[in-house]
Amino acid sequence: MNITKEQIDELNAVVKVAISKEDYQEKVDTILKDYRKQANIPGFRKGQVPMGLIKKQYGKAVLVDEVNKLLQDNLNKYLTEEKLDVLGNPLPKQQEDFDWESDNLDFEFELGLAPSFDVKLKTKKAVTQYKIVADKKMIDEQVERIQKQYGKLVSKTEVGKSDEVTGTFTNEAEEIENKTTIELSKIKAKKALDALVGKKAGESVTLKTKGLFKEDYLLSSSLGIAKEKAEKLNIEVTFTVEEINERQPAALDQELFDKLFGKDNVKTEKELRERIKDDSETQFEQQSDQKLLNDITERLIDETKFNLPSEFLKKWIQISGEKMLSEDEASEEFEKSEKGLRYQLIEGKIIQENELQVQLEELKEFAKGFIKSQMAQYGHLDPKEEELENIATRVLGNQDEVKRLSEQLMSQKLLTLYKEKSNLKVKEVNYEDFVKEAYS
């Protein structure tokens, strides 16, 4: 067997594989002899079928199968030994009137080669790194939310502006009949609020759905209809009051602090506010980190210029899926995936140049941290090391989980590297401004 490479240009090459009869004949003969031993053909005793008949029936199929195995094994070995960084898989060139009876078989494969390029982590244009702070307004709102959540309901006979009202929304034409509880503080329409205030159990009001609530999602849940339907809805509905309650806020005392954070971990309102600030900013850091990772990714793609073997990749996309695509469909798929492919190449080079690796032990520790945070959400705040070790071992026995956690850990390593070496400008904002700037 002889394998040679012809370089077409910087990103494209053709590999030629010449296979001679001695490369495959011995293996083919062995398989055909085994077929002869097992063959059941009418008119012949088992094992006594003439070899000529066996070759006629099975010879070509066995030959093709063995040659394809040889091609695959030796082509992969060649690519590895020659250190050829290919994109996609080698594509066999179509040969008309290929003669499988010939003693010498010649094959050609197109290769798409990965481009050569440099990555500069210190981008020309600085990337904004948001530092999200929990401001006084947010902390006040969170304290109020906690007091409300842990407060008690006091029954009332007449609706007030800040009460919670349970009742049923109806509209016969739209087949709406849904019992729900609404907070009057979340009503946006002044006419609707005025209509509800002063009502008693058993009384009804007519309300317009358009602009009824401060938050759009509340309309679908209150009426018991799909979000898509609620978005377009502009009708009148009847709301019949059934129950009226005032939620009296919980006192900021030790009993509440212990419920929230465990016995004596927080002792004063000041400490409560500090804890809310710290916890909120820890959560915000995860969001700002994800935003930073996305923004650096976009900037690196934008500033790292290189060509791709586009025509080869379109051909590869065309034939590599479950069904054959047309040229136009393959071009469309390439355009959709091009940015992702570019970043895969950029990320791979960054990982290689900075020797970033995921070791088994650190992956296990990362898994333990993930498991611990999951357990904390269900109130298990202090799991034993043995328990974490056992769960982590089970989790890492699942290859899908290993892949998922490895990708998360590598993203964390990349983020740490970017924070050290990228061109960043830190901007301190509250959460509201972060959402406006980051997602507008």
Side-chain angles (χ1 to χ4, degrees), residues 179-381:
K179 185 173 180 176
T180 187
T181 298
I182 58 175
E183 298 176 39
L184 265 67
S185 60
K186 294 182 179 179
I187 296 287
K188 179 181 179 181
K190 187 176 183 303
K191 284 185 178 179
L193 190 61
D194 291 342
L196 282 163
V197 171
K199 288 293 180 284
K200 297 178 181 179
E203 295 183 336
S204 300
V205 292
T206 300
L207 306 173
K208 288 186 178 180
T209 57
K210 189 173 179 63
L212 180 58
F213 293 103
K214 293 177 181 177
E215 301 291 341
D216 291 339
Y217 75 91
L218 289 171
L219 184 63
S220 61
S221 60
S222 297
L223 300 185
I225 60 175
K227 179 184 173 185
E228 294 75 21
K229 181 177 180 179
E231 286 173 353
K232 302 172 184 175
L233 203 62
N234 184 12
I235 61 171
E236 289 186 340
V237 289
T238 300
F239 182 74
T240 302
V241 178
E242 297 173 22
E243 186 181 332
I244 308 158
N245 290 295
E246 178 187 5
R247 188 173 290 274
Q248 293 184 349
L252 297 175
D253 56 17
Q254 195 61 48
E255 182 183 354
L256 177 62
F257 301 154
D258 290 348
K259 277 183 185 177
L260 293 170
F261 304 109
K263 188 165 177 59
D264 294 336
N265 286 320
V266 169
K267 295 183 178 179
T268 65
E269 183 181 340
K270 182 182 178 183
E271 289 180 12
L272 169 68
R273 290 175 173 276
E274 288 171 353
R275 181 67 178 262
I276 290 171
K277 181 178 175 65
D278 291 343
D279 289 350
S280 297
E281 290 179 356
T282 298
Q283 291 180 9
F284 295 156
E285 189 174 354
Q286 295 173 3
Q287 288 182 264
S288 62
D289 279 351
Q290 187 58 56
K291 172 65 176 166
L292 179 63
L293 192 60
N294 293 343
D295 288 348
I296 291 178
T297 297
E298 290 291 332
R299 189 61 49 80
L300 287 171
I301 292 171
D302 185 54
E303 294 191 10
T304 307
K305 304 295 184 184
F306 54 83
N307 293 322
L308 291 170
S310 304
E311 292 309 311
F312 169 84
L313 289 170
K314 289 174 187 176
K315 265 197 246 181
W316 177 68
I317 289 170
Q318 190 175 5
I319 67 169
S320 63
E322 291 182 4
K323 66 172 186 175
M324 184 84 168
L325 302 180
S326 68
E327 288 186 12
D328 288 343
E329 288 172 332
S331 294
E332 188 178 336
E333 285 300 312
F334 173 72
E335 287 172 12
K336 287 179 186 175
S337 60
E338 183 180 2
K339 182 181 280 190
L341 174 58
R342 286 183 178 278
Y343 186 65
Q344 281 181 21
L345 292 169
I346 293 167
E347 186 183 83
K349 193 168 186 68
I350 293 169
I351 290 170
Q352 181 185 23
E353 289 181 347
N354 292 277
E355 298 179 344
L356 301 180
Q357 295 179 342
V358 172
Q359 305 290 350
L360 180 59
E361 279 307 309
E362 64 179 346
L363 183 61
K364 183 179 278 190
E365 290 305 311
F366 182 73
K368 285 181 189 177
F370 180 77
I371 292 161
K372 195 172 181 179
S373 66
Q374 291 288 98
M375 293 171 80
Q377 291 181 19
Y378 295 96
H380 194 359
L381 301 175

Side-chain angles (χ1 to χ4, degrees), residues 9 29 73 142 152 195 207 219 420:
D9 56 38
D29 288 344
D73 292 345
Q142 184 66 11
K152 62 179 181 179
L207 306 173
L219 184 63
E420 289 173 1

